[in-house]
């Protein structure tokens, strides 16, 4: 049996909660991993932002930009 690896930027875990713990369970906790963890080397000719966009996004290369979306905020549908 082989497991397919998925590269997701948002990961989650459920903290252990003992049946003797007087506090209610916390629920799922979320954390983000940066995109540069999934690349071994920087290939040549990567697509770049313009200098103005790079200042806005905090990185020169589009691959390394990671938009933060708060997983705890209620979604509006």
């Amino acid at each position: 049996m082989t497991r397919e690896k998925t590269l997701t930027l948002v990961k989650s875990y459920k903290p252990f909660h003992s049946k003797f713990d007087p506090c209610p369970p916390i629920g799922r906790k979320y954390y983000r991993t940066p995109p540069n963890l999934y690349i071994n080397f920087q290939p040549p000719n990567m697509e770049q932002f313009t200098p103005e966009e790079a200042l806005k996004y905090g990185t020169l290369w589009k691959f390394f930009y990671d938009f933060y979306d708060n997983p705890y905020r209620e979604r509006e549908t």
Side-chain angles (χ1 to χ4, degrees):
M1 182 169 116
T2 59
R3 287 179 88 178
E4 189 176 302
K5 289 186 177 182
T6 58
L7 302 176
T8 60
L9 299 177
V10 178
K11 298 187 176 24
S12 69
Y13 67 96
K14 190 172 181 182
F16 175 75
H17 184 261
S18 170
K19 62 181 178 179
F20 303 111
D21 192 348
C23 299
I26 294 175
R28 283 221 164 266
K29 300 298 272 177
Y30 296 91
Y31 65 99
R32 298 185 70 81
T33 53
N36 61 327
L37 289 179
Y38 304 108
I39 189 168
N40 294 332
F41 63 94
Q42 182 175 327
N45 302 323
M46 283 184 72
E47 190 175 357
Q48 296 182 354
F49 287 118
T50 64
E52 293 81 17
E53 289 176 321
L55 288 172
K56 178 181 174 183
Y57 295 123
T59 183
L60 181 59
W61 297 278
K62 291 186 178 186
F63 177 81
F64 295 125
Y65 173 66
D66 181 26
F67 174 76
Y68 177 75
D69 187 25
N70 188 349
Y72 300 104
R73 186 186 65 211
E74 291 292 325
R75 304 275 189 252
E76 294 145 5
T77 57

